Amino acid sequence: MTTEHSPAHSQGLIICEHCDSLYEAVPLKPGESAHCLRCHALLGRGHRLSIEQLLALTVAAALLFLFANLFPVISINMKGLTNEVTLWQSVEALAQGRITLIALVAGLSIIFAPLLQIALLFWVLLHAQQGVVAPGFKTCMRALEHLRPWSMLEVCMLGILVAIIKLSGMLDVHPGVGLWAMAMLMVLILLIANRDIRRLWDELGVRPS
Ligand SMILES: [Zn+2]
């Protein structure tokens, strides 16, 4: 059994990954954690969010994603002229130069990866909320694992903030609605698409094979 994708749970028993002690699994409340009596290793943690809450946050993330992409992330005022740039426009601008590869990576990490994450999470959570295993569950869960390192909204945020600070010396630069939406989206994605989502394997009783 691989411990990377599934904790050592089976038939209501928990095996300590460090010293192989066997315990009976007890449902944990939010904020609670279970530790091994012999070696004090962490056995499990109570989840802070229910499936319903995760689903609601995923819907919120989808809306924020729309806002982040439809509204400008930066607006620049120069001699009375206002220029507003959306995320997509900035990726497009990169694609016109010789640095198409960077545009590709940027597009992937700030638009496509978060979009896919939100779509996959919505799919598996919507079914999980009804106690059903979503069609293609295993593929979706694996894709979510692979997407995590590609979703780099925080890096993008940092880049935009640095750009705003640097440009503000020369131009009249303002963060747009899209940037605020992106900041909130970043927090939501970190909250819902983290490793904790692996619990769905256990809760739905699907064995990663
Ligand atoms: Zn132990």
Side-chain angles (χ1 to χ4, degrees), residues 149-192:
W150 278 103
S151 183
M152 291 184 285
L153 286 169
E154 57 270 37
V155 178
C156 177
M157 275 291 297
L158 207 68
I160 293 174
L161 286 178
V162 169
I164 289 178
I165 291 165
K166 281 204 158 182
L167 288 171
S168 64
M170 301 171 271
L171 306 158
D172 195 8
V173 186
H174 296 284
V177 176
L179 193 69
W180 300 121
M182 208 165 100
M184 288 188 278
L185 175 63
M186 189 184 88
V187 175
L188 277 189
I189 294 237
L190 289 176
L191 206 66
I192 51 181

Side-chain angles (χ1 to χ4, degrees), residues 1-9 13-23 34-36 39-44 198 202:
M1 178 184 272
T2 54
T3 47
E4 172 61 23
H5 284 276
S6 71
H9 289 223
L13 294 174
I14 301 178
I15 302 157
C16 174
E17 289 176 12
H18 296 272
C19 68
D20 288 336
S21 299
L22 203 61
Y23 296 96
H35 293 267
C36 175
C39 72
H40 304 291
L42 183 72
L43 295 174
R198 287 179 190 162
D202 276 337

Side-chain angles (χ1 to χ4, degrees), residues 1-203:
M1 178 184 272
T2 54
T3 47
E4 172 61 23
H5 284 276
S6 71
H9 289 223
S10 55
Q11 280 104 44
L13 294 174
I14 301 178
I15 302 157
C16 174
E17 289 176 12
H18 296 272
C19 68
D20 288 336
S21 299
L22 203 61
Y23 296 96
E24 202 172 313
V26 183
L28 295 169
K29 291 190 190 78
E32 284 183 345
S33 59
H35 293 267
C36 175
L37 288 175
R38 203 201 288 176
C39 72
H40 304 291
L42 183 72
L43 295 174
R45 228 180 224 136
H47 303 295
R48 264 177 248 131
L49 297 165
S50 66
I51 302 286
E52 286 81 11
Q53 285 170 322
L54 282 174
L55 184 62
L57 288 177
T58 305
V59 174
L63 289 174
L64 285 171
F65 181 85
L66 274 181
F67 272 69
N69 280 279
L70 292 177
F71 291 94
V73 284
I74 274 188
S75 68
I76 301 166
N77 286 308
M78 201 169 60
K79 291 171 187 162
L81 289 170
T82 307
N83 204 348
E84 293 183 323
V85 187
T86 61
L87 270 186
W88 185 252
Q89 283 169 336
S90 53
V91 171
E92 232 177 14
L94 279 176
Q96 275 157 15
R98 282 193 194 162
I99 41 176
T100 325
L101 186 69
I102 294 180
L104 207 71
V105 175
L108 187 67
S109 57
I110 65 178
I111 297 176
F112 296 113
L115 178 64
L116 252 170
Q117 277 182 307
I118 293 168
L120 289 171
L121 280 168
F122 182 73
W123 181 250
V124 291
L125 286 170
L126 186 69
H127 287 82
Q129 195 239 341
Q130 295 156 342
V132 183
V133 180
F137 176 81
K138 289 182 187 182
T139 316
C140 291
M141 292 298 281
R142 293 222 172 83
L144 279 170
E145 293 285 332
H146 291 302
L147 278 170
R148 198 174 299 123
W150 278 103
S151 183
M152 291 184 285
L153 286 169
E154 57 270 37
V155 178
C156 177
M157 275 291 297
L158 207 68
I160 293 174
L161 286 178
V162 169
I164 289 178
I165 291 165
K166 281 204 158 182
L167 288 171
S168 64
M170 301 171 271
L171 306 158
D172 195 8
V173 186
H174 296 284
V177 176
L179 193 69
W180 300 121
M182 208 165 100
M184 288 188 278
L185 175 63
M186 189 184 88
V187 175
L188 277 189
I189 294 237
L190 289 176
L191 206 66
I192 51 181
N194 61 26
R195 280 175 179 76
D196 231 27
I197 200 71
R198 287 179 190 162
R199 73 199 238 206
L200 287 180
W201 289 105
D202 276 337
E203 286 179 21

